[in-house]
Amino acid sequence: MSTSALEPLSLRAAFAQVPQPVVIVGAEVDGAPEALVASTFTAGVSLEPPLVTFAVQHSSSTWPRLRDGATHLGVSLLGSEGGPLARQIAGKDRTQRFAGVAYTADDDGSLVLDHAPLWLKTRVYNEFTAGDHDIVVLELLDLGVDETVPGLVFHRSSFTPLP
């Protein structure tokens, strides 16, 4: 094994071989929608209590706004047509992130995308530093499933619709 395989670009290429679900983590903060895109989402971390995780880079400017400004977070699995939406919400221009995006926010501020194959209402259960990311553990409070909408994964550095 060569140590060059552990260089950031080589690692990124290697990790791209593992399909990952793509989720939007969002909430209304001070009356405005805020969200980040995560392709490092893990479902079924625990059933009792029900927990999921995602990872977020330390450089994220959105995560502190969500973590500190919201008591509840929505998690929306992107549907098969969600690649452009992921790029829009991840965009630098905060004023355009939700332009034309259909979403619902409940009384607790939890924001979920309309027509998602899976949505979760959550709250932060724990957070751990892991290298250049934080691992965020979320406790599920509610969920909804639409089995008629196929999901989307990020695989080989591309958004790939599921059948």
Side-chain angles (χ1 to χ4, degrees):
M1 180 198 285
S2 92
T3 57
S4 66
L6 299 179
E7 296 298 320
L9 288 177
S10 297
L11 279 172
R12 185 180 300 254
F15 292 164
Q17 300 305 309
V18 181
Q20 296 286 329
V22 182
V23 298
I24 304 298
V25 178
E28 280 194 340
V29 177
D30 297 327
E34 287 282 350
L36 60 82
V37 178
S39 63
T40 52
F41 176 78
T42 304
V45 172
S46 170
L47 297 177
E48 198 55 52
L51 302 174
V52 297
T53 65
F54 73 95
V56 61
Q57 290 181 330
H58 290 272
S59 60
S60 171
S61 60
T62 304
W63 175 237
R65 295 170 62 86
L66 286 168
R67 179 190 58 221
D68 301 337
T71 59
H72 295 82
L73 300 169
V75 177
S76 303
L77 179 68
L78 284 182
S80 59
E81 303 297 317
L85 179 58
R87 293 192 194 289
Q88 177 179 334
I89 291 176
K92 297 289 183 198
D93 185 353
R94 286 184 184 278
T95 65
Q96 292 303 306
R97 287 183 176 179
F98 280 88
V101 176
Y103 69 88
T104 303
D106 69 12
D107 292 341
D108 294 320
S110 173
L111 182 151
V112 295
L113 301 179
D114 294 353
H115 312 294
L118 169 69
W119 63 263
L120 309 170
K121 179 176 180 173
T122 71
R123 64 178 164 218
V124 174
Y125 184 83
N126 215 330
E127 188 173 353
F128 304 93
T129 299
D132 60 359
H133 280 65
D134 287 322
I135 306 297
V136 181
V137 182
L138 300 173
E139 179 180 16
L140 275 62
L141 304 172
D142 197 5
L143 63 83
V145 175
D146 184 346
E147 293 182 9
T148 67
V149 180
L152 181 79
V153 294
F154 194 68
H155 183 234
R156 295 186 175 165
S157 301
S158 298
F159 293 107
T160 304
L162 296 173

